[in-house]
């Protein structure tokens, strides 16, 4: 039995829900508070933002279009959205929905444009993508791209002839009979809603993220139980099996993981495979793991504090007890660090909204500091300096653990001076 109250207390998590689907039955629980100022308790009916787990919902709506013959994943996006533009016209002309679903389109991925909350918010968002820079040629490298999923949302609404959130509600929320799911900020008022608590010393967030990025994950909120009702649908039909097929192998961050159509794919020992996703918004962290062969799924929703150690404790217990699966370990700094080729690594790398500054450190280490390029990014970027050492010839690992994890960055490509071209932590930042 999961002792969620104890885990919340032990790891300093503000509030949490856990739901487990096993052999068709869902069991859920809750602990902690919705807001650490008001002290209102979390219940199993409270709603939490699920962040980028929303991408699986968007991908599901896209797969329905494919199944109905309304969309070809390998034709250019412009077949559906002739107005789609990027700073690189050649890239915009050839990018496909499959590349959007697999994070291989290569353009700036974290364009959190505030385009209001009207029915035209995605149309306006796509218009504002016209200046988005191409960081990697289309199809060349996995680099996480929120903007690509917002573009997919626009494809959904054009082909369905309705606003995305209406399609989301009609085809998934209402179809599944979900009681708690909210597809817009306005719908939060009808629910008991958790507040996000960002920061190392969690305090209630004073704002919500822009609705214009809804298909990527800035809005959709629900209970852990309702999230697993959505998963139950995926496990109960072959309609969406194509979404689980391997598409891309991302850079190796030391914890496995491959990419399907929307789903992240996981491998366990003895040939067991599964899928899942994580989500992060302002003060919320959401986690989902599914093992179809065991008829098992686990959802953990949190609203502040060090969530990852709690989540791993839940995963380890549930996967072990119900499926005899051992959760793979996370990477740690090696006893004998791989030498860092400092001359090739040091420099400034730019991604959407931030820069990564790498300087030479002591004892063969380097120092990494992220710098927000926009005031709106201050809430998301830890600008403290962190020491990194060599994990592999092509990867660095943080010396100190944070939120239960030693961060890994991968060194990709070479420029004309034989220096590292891209610094990769899920997003590819290009040397400037």
């Amino acid at each position: 039995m999961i002792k969620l109250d104890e885990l919340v207390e032990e790891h300093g998590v503000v509030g949490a829900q856990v739901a487990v689907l096993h052999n068709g039955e869902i069991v859920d629980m809750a602990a902690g508070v919705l807001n650490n100022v008001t002290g209102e308790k979390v219940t199993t009916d409270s709603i939490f933002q699920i962040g980028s787990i929303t991408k699986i919902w968007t991908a599901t709506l896209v797969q329905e279009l494919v199944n109905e013959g309304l969309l070809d994943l390998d034709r250019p996006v412009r077949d559906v959205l002739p107005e789609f533009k990027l700073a690189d016209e050649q890239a915009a002309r050839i990018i496909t929905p499959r590349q959007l679903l697999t994070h291989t389109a290569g353009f700036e991925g974290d364009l959190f444009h505030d385009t209001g909350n009207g029915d035209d918010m995605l149309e306006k968002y796509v218009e504002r993508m016209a200046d988005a820079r191409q960081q990697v040629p289309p199809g060349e490298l996995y680099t996480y791209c929120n903007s690509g999923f917002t573009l997919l949302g626009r494809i959904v609404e054009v082909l369905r002839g309705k606003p995305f959130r209406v399609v989301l509600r009609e085809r998934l929320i209402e179809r599944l009979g979900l009681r708690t799911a909210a597809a817009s900020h306005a719908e939060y008022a009808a629910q008991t809603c958790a507040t996000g608590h960002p920061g190392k010393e969690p305090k209630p967030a004073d704002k919500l993220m822009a609705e214009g990025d809804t298909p990527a994950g800035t809005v959709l909120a629900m209970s852990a139980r309702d999230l697993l009702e959505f998963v139950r649908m995926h496990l109960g039909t072959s309609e969406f099996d194509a979404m689980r097929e391997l598409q891309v192998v991302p850079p190796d961050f030391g914890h496995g993981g491959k990419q399907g159509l929307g789903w992240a794919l996981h491998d366990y020992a003895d040939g067991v495979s599964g899928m899942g996703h994580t989500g992060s918004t302002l003060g919320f962290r959401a986690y989902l793991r599914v093992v179809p062969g065991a008829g098992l799924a686990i959802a953990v929703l949190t609203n502040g504090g060090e969530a990852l150690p709690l989540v791993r404790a839940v995963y380890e217990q549930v996967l072990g007890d119900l499926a005899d699966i051992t959760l793979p370990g996370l990477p740690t700094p090696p006893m004998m660090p791989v030498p860092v080729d400092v001359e090739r690594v040091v420099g400034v790398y730019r991604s959407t909204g931030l820069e990564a500054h790498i300087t030479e450190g002591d004892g063969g280490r380097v120092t990494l500091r992220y710098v927000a390029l926009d005031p709106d990014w201050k809430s998301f970027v830890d600008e403290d300096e962190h020491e990194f050492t060599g994990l592999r010839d092509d990867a660095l690992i943080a010396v100190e653990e944070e939120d239960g994890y030693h961060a890994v960055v991968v060194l990709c490509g070479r420029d004309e001076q034989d220096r590292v071209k891209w610094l990769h932590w899920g997003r590819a930042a290009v040397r400037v």
Side-chain angles (χ1 to χ4, degrees):
M1 180 66 180
I2 300 167
K3 297 180 180 178
L4 189 57
D5 286 310
E6 293 181 10
L7 289 172
V8 164
E9 180 70 23
E10 178 183 354
H11 298 294
V13 172
V14 177
Q17 285 181 345
V18 172
V20 177
L21 168 65
H22 186 232
N23 292 335
E25 298 294 327
I26 297 176
V27 176
D28 58 352
M29 62 195 70
V33 296
L34 299 171
N35 184 302
N36 64 9
V37 173
T38 68
E40 184 178 359
K41 299 292 186 181
V42 178
T43 73
T44 53
D45 287 329
S46 305
I47 69 169
F48 288 67
Q49 289 186 351
I50 65 168
S52 286
I53 296 175
T54 303
K55 292 180 173 66
I56 308 304
W57 296 63
T58 301
T60 300
L61 296 175
V62 170
Q63 187 62 46
E64 287 185 331
L65 293 169
V66 174
N67 293 346
E68 294 172 29
L70 299 175
L71 180 67
D72 185 335
L73 294 184
D74 297 308
R75 293 290 304 164
V77 167
R78 281 190 175 170
D79 280 8
V80 180
L81 303 178
E83 70 276 16
F84 170 53
K85 295 180 181 179
L86 296 169
D88 186 330
E89 166 59 19
Q90 183 176 356
R93 185 170 51 81
I94 64 173
I95 285 171
T96 66
R98 188 181 302 276
Q99 291 171 335
L100 301 178
L101 287 164
T102 58
H103 301 283
T104 57
F107 54 81
E108 290 183 286
D110 294 319
L111 303 171
F112 299 120
H113 297 313
D114 187 349
T115 55
N117 58 8
D119 288 349
D120 61 350
M121 63 185 185
L122 299 193
E123 181 180 6
K124 290 179 177 178
Y125 186 102
V126 173
E127 290 174 358
R128 292 185 61 176
M129 289 178 64
D131 296 329
R133 293 178 294 111
Q134 199 69 25
Q135 295 176 301
V136 182
E140 182 169 322
L141 181 67
Y142 171 99
T143 178
Y144 196 82
C145 187
N146 282 296
S147 310
F149 272 78
T150 302
L151 188 58
L152 287 166
R154 178 61 180 155
I155 289 173
V156 167
E157 63 182 19
V158 166
L159 292 179
R160 291 298 182 196
K162 299 178 180 180
F164 174 81
R165 59 190 170 203
V166 173
V167 180
L168 177 64
R169 174 156 289 284
E170 291 180 350
R171 299 191 70 89
L172 291 177
I173 295 174
E174 293 176 359
R175 168 185 174 185
L176 297 173
L178 305 185
R179 296 184 300 106
T180 65
S184 68
H185 289 160
E187 294 179 6
Y188 290 3
Q191 305 287 346
T192 303
C193 188
T195 300
H197 296 71
K200 296 178 181 178
E201 297 181 3
K203 296 180 181 179
D206 58 4
K207 63 180 179 178
L208 295 169
M209 297 178 70
E211 290 199 51
D213 218 16
T214 292
T218 56
V219 173
L220 190 59
M222 66 193 64
S223 65
R225 172 177 285 271
D226 272 0
L227 178 54
L228 292 193
E229 291 291 356
F230 168 77
V231 173
R232 189 204 301 271
M233 178 193 73
H234 271 262
L235 297 182
T237 178
S238 61
E239 184 179 349
F240 305 112
D241 285 359
M243 293 172 59
R244 307 183 205 172
E245 296 175 4
L246 175 63
Q247 304 290 316
V248 174
V249 178
D252 181 6
F253 300 105
H255 48 71
K258 301 171 184 176
Q259 185 65 45
L261 295 175
W263 285 111
L265 309 178
H266 303 121
D267 291 324
Y268 304 96
D270 301 321
V272 177
S273 61
M275 68 273 198
H277 214 287
T278 59
S280 176
T281 53
L282 202 56
F284 290 94
R285 300 290 183 272
Y287 303 81
L288 177 64
R289 288 262 179 151
V290 186
V291 185
L296 178 63
I298 313 162
V300 186
L301 309 181
T302 69
N303 65 331
E306 290 200 2
L308 186 59
L310 177 149
V311 173
R312 286 189 63 83
V314 171
Y315 280 173
E316 287 172 356
Q317 182 173 345
V318 175
L319 290 172
D321 290 351
L322 299 183
D324 197 26
I325 292 173
T326 299
L327 188 67
L330 294 175
T332 57
M335 292 294 293
M336 296 293 291
V338 175
V340 178
D341 191 338
V342 175
E343 291 187 2
R344 287 183 173 179
V345 174
V346 297
V348 177
Y349 302 79
R350 183 171 296 160
S351 185
T352 315
L354 62 82
E355 287 181 343
H357 294 227
I358 294 188
T359 56
E360 185 172 1
D362 297 326
R365 297 174 175 177
V366 294
T367 298
L368 171 60
R369 183 169 75 95
Y370 294 109
V371 178
L373 299 178
D374 186 301
D376 289 341
W377 278 78
K378 292 287 185 180
S379 300
F380 302 97
V381 178
D382 173 7
E383 294 190 332
D384 294 340
E385 290 188 342
H386 296 278
E387 275 194 310
F388 278 68
T389 191
L391 176 64
R392 305 186 305 266
D393 289 340
D394 68 339
L396 307 174
I397 187 167
V399 174
E400 299 296 329
E401 183 182 86
E402 188 168 341
D403 192 21
Y405 176 63
H406 293 269
V408 172
V409 294
V410 178
L411 313 173
C412 298
R414 289 290 185 269
D415 68 4
E416 63 279 358
Q417 298 178 44
D418 200 32
R419 302 172 302 178
V420 172
K421 185 173 184 179
W422 293 294
L423 190 70
H424 207 308
W425 60 88
R427 279 83 165 162
V430 64
R431 180 185 287 274
V432 295

